Amino acid sequence: MATRRGLLAAGGLATVAGSARAQTPSPAVMVSTWDFGRAANAAGLERRRAGGSALDMVEAGGRVVEADGGNGSVGFGGMPDRDGRVTLDACVMDWAGGIGAVAALEDVVHAVSVARAVMEKTPHWMLVGTGAREFAVAQGFPTQSLLTPEAEAAWRRWLETSEYAPRPNSENGGWASMPGGENNHDTIGLLALDQAGRMAGACTTSGMAFKMRGRVGDSPIVGAGLFVDDAVGGATATGVGEDVVRVAGSHAVVEAMRHGMDPAAACRSVIERLARLRGTQVAGHQVALLALDKAGRAGGFALQPGFTYAVTDAAGETRIVRAGALFA
Ligand code: SD4
């Protein structure tokens, strides 16, 4: 009989509280990174039931986590850069190759919605910095400070040493976006299938805590933090953005699925490629990949243990799945 550990190593199909017996889960219609994906998927499913598109689903899910000041890595309450400023990165991609993104956006909570507006209301795919903020204001997005007292206090503590050393958001120690934090919350990447079977994805984050001013990670980069091909499926990433970009992580996962791999195997193949490329340089980093194919099969894989994701079926049942890891 397969052990739980064996199932995890085989691609993370076991639920945290699940039995050791292999079961075929009902097809997923929405997946999101980390435990906070549960609340995100619930919002997405509500939009699906109301006839919303896959893009509506992922946007709704991303907004839930962006508005939550209690997590230190997405939207309001995100960790600031080393100058004490919270800057957001986000992108969306839909079934028809529609893409929109913002990077280094300040003072606007719902970066995912601004990214969608870039896609739908401009001839461009990405706006950054002050241009992104001005566009958001012109579109009627409200502005506010995104720095919570908790995030500011963490930044002031960090200033005492000012050492930028991303730690893995994993069981192997800490989490990347919030040194010293105890939660596993992180960037949220979301993939969804609507009632018409169309796929869309979104990714939104405040990026690596205490990054240099102007630093942009993988999350708003189509092909790195997110990629969707409606003929195949989609993938999204969390972890050290510089590593995700090196292997065009999400695009690489989708291409592996195109060539026949299931989602978990596809994620694993890209994590292994990164490890081959960088060797010991990624030993202390976390990179986690999550994929959903058009048949509703979900899977993930990470460098470090501890990566979880939320999988929701059409009936609204959600399970939190723990992905396999290379350095397990
Ligand atoms: C970034 N991938 O900015 C994001 C942040 C993240 O763990 O996921 N941190 O690099």
Side-chain angles (χ1 to χ4, degrees), residues 171-218:
E171 288 167 348
N172 290 346
W175 63 309
S177 293
M178 194 174 186
E182 58 291 323
N183 297 319
N184 75 351
H185 294 174
D186 212 284
T187 298
I188 185 157
L190 317 100
L191 300 160
L193 287 160
D194 61 25
Q195 289 182 24
R198 301 173 303 186
M199 183 174 283
C203 190
T204 177
T205 189
S206 54
M208 302 299 282
F210 319 131
K211 60 194 176 185
M212 288 176 69
R213 181 146 181 79
R215 180 266 189 188
V216 173
D218 61 310

Side-chain angles (χ1 to χ4, degrees), residues 37-311:
R38 183 186 287 281
N41 288 6
L45 259 280
E46 210 173 292
R47 294 308 311 271
R48 189 179 200 266
R49 288 198 177 115
S53 72
L55 190 58
D56 296 333
M57 292 170 69
V58 292
E59 181 188 8
R63 288 175 65 96
V64 167
V65 181
E66 287 175 340
D68 175 8
N71 76 74
S73 58
V74 182
F76 177 63
M79 285 292 117
D81 65 18
R82 68 183 191 182
D83 296 346
R85 293 190 162 105
V86 179
T87 64
L88 307 182
D89 295 343
C91 74
V92 296
M93 183 165 193
D94 74 11
W95 54 90
I99 54 173
V102 287
L105 172 68
E106 292 181 51
D107 304 328
V108 180
V109 175
H110 291 302
V112 70
S113 297
V114 184
R116 180 174 181 171
V118 171
M119 174 177 117
E120 293 178 338
K121 306 216 166 115
T122 80
H124 309 302
W125 87 277
M126 178 186 272
L127 295 176
V128 306
T130 50
R133 188 184 186 285
E134 282 165 18
F135 169 73
V137 169
Q139 290 294 316
F141 286 90
T143 57
Q144 66 170 88
S145 168
L146 303 181
L147 189 65
T148 57
E150 294 76 20
E152 184 175 355
W155 170 61
R156 292 201 182 281
R157 278 196 303 279
W158 175 80
L159 280 178
E160 287 164 20
T161 56
S162 300
E163 256 175 63
Y164 181 77
R167 300 194 312 179
N169 44 344
S170 79
E171 288 167 348
N172 290 346
W175 63 309
S177 293
M178 194 174 186
E182 58 291 323
N183 297 319
N184 75 351
H185 294 174
D186 212 284
T187 298
I188 185 157
L190 317 100
L191 300 160
L193 287 160
D194 61 25
Q195 289 182 24
R198 301 173 303 186
M199 183 174 283
C203 190
T204 177
T205 189
S206 54
M208 302 299 282
F210 319 131
K211 60 194 176 185
M212 288 176 69
R213 181 146 181 79
R215 180 266 189 188
V216 173
D218 61 310
S219 305
I221 308 296
V222 168
L226 176 74
F227 194 72
V228 170
D229 181 331
D230 202 54
V232 176
T236 187
T238 173
V240 178
E242 284 76 3
D243 290 328
V244 177
V245 173
R246 277 180 231 293
V247 288
S250 295
H251 182 262
V253 171
V254 172
E255 292 311 296
M257 293 197 294
R258 189 192 309 282
H259 292 108
M261 284 190 197
D262 66 58
C267 292
R268 183 178 189 132
S269 73
V270 177
I271 292 291
E272 287 173 348
R273 185 188 307 177
L274 175 65
R276 275 197 303 276
L277 182 67
R278 299 295 281 177
T280 53
Q281 292 180 91
V282 293
H285 292 183
Q286 175 63 301
V287 171
L289 298 168
L290 171 62
L292 175 67
D293 72 12
K294 284 282 285 184
R297 294 185 301 173
F301 200 79
L303 277 175
Q304 312 287 342
F307 173 53
T308 59
Y309 54 95
V311 181

